[in-house]
Amino acid sequence: MHRRLIAPGALAASLLLAIPASAASYSPGAPGIGDPYYPAYGNGGYDVSHYDLRLKYQPQTDELEGTATLLATTTQDLSRFDLDFLLDVSEVRVNGAKASFATSGRHELEITPAKPLPKGTPITVVVRYSGVPSTKSAYGFSTWHRTPDGAVAADEPEAAWWWYPSNDHPLDKATYDVSVAVPDGTQAISNGTLQSTSSRLGWTRYNWRSNKPQATYLTTLAVGRFDITTGTSEGGVPVVNAYSKDLGDNDGAARASVERTGELVDWLSGYFGPYPFSSAGGYVPNTTTGYALETQTRVYYSPKQFANGSNTSVVVHELAHQWYGDDVSLKGWKDIWINEGFARYAQWLWSEHEGEGTAQELADYVYASHPADDAFWTVKPGDPGPDNQFDIAVYDRGALAVQALRNEVGDDAFFAILKGWPKDHAYGNASVGDFQKYAEQVSGKPLAALFDTWLFQPTKPAAPAARTVSIAKASAAPAQPKSWKRIAATNDLHAG
Ligand code: TRP
Ligand code: ZN
């Protein structure tokens, strides 16, 4: 370097450059991404674009080992950053160089790279790890669900900590390659398309690829004895489903429901626009938990959802999430109405299609069956709080709000909004406020009062506001629509 004729300012600048991590501008990434419902979820300082998970799992002992390679870019001058993770880490490398690491908080893996990372730097983070996921818990719970033949990672709002290190928040979506070796005779199910399988020395490796942005909680893994079926919908969407070989009495009803995925994806496309992903389908593992979850491209269904016979309603609900929740993800967990209000409303549309009660009849029934002093009305679907995030009101009052919107703007504008929204925010994130703005833009109507009444007031909307649901029936006692019990069961079983 030429030291001659150096200006004082330039000298100061070169000194600053020489000072590494401790320099003022380099700081640790935040231990949370900034979601007020879950302050420690996700992290600050970087943005992940791709996860490559190369794993090996032994169902008999619940031992998981592997290497996660994350491609990311720094979003600040970074001295240190966190990943959310619970298993035991043996080595971390950042851009090829060994990094030091430590655990902190409930689920933070703190990584200090050998050299500080300027803002905008592409980074490759390699984490080698192993562990027995079922022995780990955070906040006293686990979302790693053991089955007699393996395990399932599927939960909301968190599932990743037990099986891969991540920036665990829907704001940081990424593509995935999930490759899992399991003992011969056992299958590994994950998101997207099955690129290939290979067998060697008693182990079979399954290579899954999900090539559209995907939230961490929508990334799933199931290991067990599965029967895998493949097909293509009439509309051209490839479908891959998987059924535990041990579903017993529920096997027929599970297949009679989930094998209709292609038909239902095509039907929903009529309302929501083209299916956003390169594969669709679901899996039914041998679990005892009751819920279903909209894991991207490959929905998780509890066998209990099929205990009373076929259940296309739950399939419609989870497939509707592929547009509302997966393609367009929430910005913060308070925006859960965008997921659940619309997935529930899709069940109402399906009920109407099946001749089991119209959406209007279901809305009237929800409105009439909760008296004004029912705690149901104290839950604000537009901001329910972390404890009520999956309260029945988020679903039913949430769908009621959708019907109120429909009646306010009319069918033409309503169905244009329903279809336009996933296109407008494809593969991104959006808030309830963004949805209101979009609906106002498409309908040309101011909707602040309507949104406030139906989503943000802790009270039962009274006439005349209630009339936006149904002028004729708002205060009558409408009959229970035929689909009602089946739709309600989608949630009863969530508690499982
Ligand atoms: N999103 C899921 C659905 O509506 C329900 C759900 C809420 C859930 N919390 C969960 C599923 C926890 C699994 C785990 O279908
Ligand atoms: Zn849902």
Side-chain angles (χ1 to χ4, degrees):
M1 196 190 232
H2 298 279
R3 293 282 173 195
R4 256 183 335 128
L5 294 173
I6 197 159
L11 178 61
S14 67
L15 278 175
L16 268 180
L17 279 177
I19 302 170
S22 54
S25 68
Y26 285 87
S27 57
I33 210 165
D35 190 320
Y37 278 25
Y38 303 99
Y41 288 24
N43 304 289
Y46 63 95
D47 190 88
V48 182
S49 61
H50 184 73
Y51 291 88
D52 182 286
L53 311 178
R54 199 171 171 84
L55 311 174
K56 187 175 182 182
Y57 181 71
Q58 173 55 264
Q60 268 164 19
T61 57
D62 194 37
E63 285 170 296
L64 180 68
E65 63 175 59
T67 302
T69 304
L70 283 60
L71 306 181
T73 304
T74 56
T75 56
Q76 69 179 62
D77 287 343
L78 205 54
S79 58
R80 193 181 84 200
F81 61 94
D82 286 8
L83 292 171
D84 299 297
F85 198 40
L86 293 174
L87 298 186
D88 311 317
V89 173
S90 57
E91 184 181 279
V92 179
R93 284 178 184 266
V94 177
N95 289 350
K98 272 197 184 177
S100 60
F101 57 91
T103 53
S104 79
R106 310 287 191 123
H107 44 75
E108 306 294 315
L109 173 66
E110 269 183 18
I111 298 173
T112 307
K115 279 188 273 177
L117 306 163
K119 178 178 177 175
T121 307
I123 54 173
T124 303
V125 183
V126 179
V127 181
R128 289 168 57 87
Y129 60 93
S130 63
V132 178
S134 58
T135 64
K136 308 286 182 185
S137 79
Y139 308 99
F141 64 80
S142 166
T143 67
W144 179 260
H145 307 289
R146 286 284 272 151
T147 59
D149 53 343
V152 175
D155 226 297
E156 185 180 10
E158 68 294 281
W161 314 338
W162 284 264
W163 69 286
Y164 70 98
S166 75
N167 188 17
D168 193 25
H169 193 279
L171 271 180
D172 192 358
K173 301 208 269 186
T175 55
Y176 284 79
D177 277 327
V178 177
S179 170
V180 189
V182 292
D184 287 349
T186 300
Q187 285 71 35
I189 312 297
S190 189
N191 312 77
T193 45
L194 183 56
Q195 300 289 103
S196 61
T197 61
S198 61
S199 271
R200 197 175 146 262
L201 302 172
W203 292 81
T204 305
R205 180 168 286 283
Y206 289 78
N207 298 308
W208 294 92
R209 169 165 293 174
S210 202
N211 64 354
K212 291 286 192 281
Q214 179 170 296
T216 45
Y217 82 100
L218 296 172
T219 305
T220 191
L221 172 66
V223 174
R225 296 171 359 98
F226 284 95
D227 175 30
I228 300 175
T229 69
T230 58
T232 305
S233 82
E234 203 176 40
V237 178
V239 179
V240 179
N241 296 316
Y243 306 90
S244 163
K245 288 175 181 161
D246 306 302
L247 291 181
D249 282 356
N250 292 326
D251 187 82
R255 289 174 194 259
S257 315
V258 179
E259 285 301 304
R260 294 181 65 181
T261 293
E263 172 201 341
L264 297 173
V265 161
D266 290 350
W267 180 76
L268 284 167
S269 298
Y271 288 105
F272 298 152
Y275 181 71
F277 306 122
S278 50
S279 178
Y283 69 94
V284 191
N286 187 17
T287 46
T288 51
T289 41
Y291 51 77
L293 185 68
E294 61 269 23
T295 36
Q296 190 160 310
T297 70
R298 194 115 312 105
V299 169
Y300 162 74
Y301 299 100
S302 161
K304 287 189 183 170
Q305 290 288 345
F306 310 107
N308 302 314
S310 68
N311 184 357
T312 46
S313 189
V314 70
V315 178
V316 165
H317 180 105
E318 306 307 336
L319 292 177
H321 276 308
Q322 302 303 308
W323 287 264
Y324 280 80
D326 295 9
D327 177 0
V328 186
S329 296
L330 38 74
K331 272 185 181 161
W333 284 106
K334 73 169 170 40
D335 299 311
I336 191 68
W337 171 71
I338 303 223
N339 293 20
E340 303 306 346
F342 289 84
R344 172 64 99 233
Y345 196 78
Q347 290 178 280
W348 290 9
L349 292 171
W350 179 243
S351 164
E352 186 161 337
H353 175 266
E354 295 288 275
E356 296 184 340
T358 65
Q360 183 64 63
E361 285 164 352
L362 283 152
D364 290 336
Y365 188 74
V366 167
Y367 184 85
S369 56
H370 298 284
D373 61 357
D374 190 328
F376 179 86
W377 300 107
T378 64
V379 177
K380 301 175 281 181
D383 189 4
D387 293 341
N388 286 326
Q389 220 193 323
F390 299 103
D391 190 274
I392 188 72
V394 173
Y395 290 74
D396 284 348
R397 189 180 167 180
L400 190 49
V402 177
Q403 182 67 23
L405 171 69
R406 177 175 173 179
N407 291 341
E408 178 73 16
V409 302
D411 276 6
D412 286 357
F414 175 75
F415 289 112
I417 292 164
L418 217 51
K419 196 179 274 188
W421 172 255
K423 193 175 169 203
D424 211 53
H425 292 271
Y427 308 120
N429 299 80
S431 66
V432 175
D434 293 331
F435 188 89
Q436 185 192 315
K437 255 181 253 145
Y438 181 74
E440 286 175 335
Q441 184 194 314
V442 173
S443 69
K445 290 197 169 189
L447 297 169
L450 181 109
F451 273 70
D452 185 60
T453 300
W454 292 98
L455 295 178
F456 292 100
Q457 289 303 318
T459 46
K460 182 170 182 171
R467 292 208 192 95
T468 55
V469 167
S470 169
I471 294 167
K473 296 184 191 167
S475 57
Q480 186 180 85
K482 266 178 77 183
S483 60
W484 177 256
K485 286 208 168 109
R486 170 66 84 205
I487 292 174
T490 317
N491 296 72
D492 280 354
L493 296 164
H494 280 156

